[in-house]
Amino acid sequence: NYFGYNQRMVWSNNLEYNFNLNDSSNFEIGVFGSVQNDVRRYNYTKAFDGPNDFIKISNSTDFYNYRYADQDKANLISSGGSLVYNYKNILSSGVLFRYDGSSRVPSDSRWLFSPSVFGEWNFKNYFFRDSKNITDLSARVSWARLGKLINTDLFAVGSFL
């Protein structure tokens, strides 16, 4: 027997500005922030030591019943900014900086700074500008520090190892 429902609240905003230096170069500047709050509620029952393993109903008095009703809460805060430089829609490069904090990890490592950088060369606009058959062709290289969001509060008090 299981019944549960989830609630999620997300507040997200961003601000972007495109600054043209001249006809061939421009900068794109952006900042963003978001807040996410999750609540997971659940009720379930476990039953043990029934007359046999084939009876799946725990309403009998032959079972030891354990009932659970609880909720699990999580908060996530993210903020960051980006800067991208474009040259004639052929070459572009950029950086992104993020700072994320989660209530799912221990308090001494709750915040993660994750930068990233990229470079791109648009072959379509450089070699095949007049081609009707090729719509997009580019090469992109990037590097980033990634973090994995933990979906359980099992490690919120620290490592057990």
Side-chain angles (χ1 to χ4, degrees), residues 65-77:
N65 289 314
Y66 298 97
R67 288 176 172 68
Y68 301 94
D70 202 357
Q71 64 183 0
D72 187 17
K73 294 182 179 182
N75 298 309
L76 177 67
I77 298 174

Side-chain angles (χ1 to χ4, degrees), residues 102-111 155-158:
S102 173
S103 64
R104 297 278 189 180
V105 294
S107 60
D108 61 344
S109 59
R110 184 155 291 170
W111 293 93
F155 303 106
V157 296

Side-chain angles (χ1 to χ4, degrees), residues 73-88:
K73 294 182 179 182
N75 298 309
L76 177 67
I77 298 174
S78 301
S79 62
S82 64
L83 177 65
V84 177
Y85 173 73
N86 293 312
Y87 177 71
K88 291 186 179 180

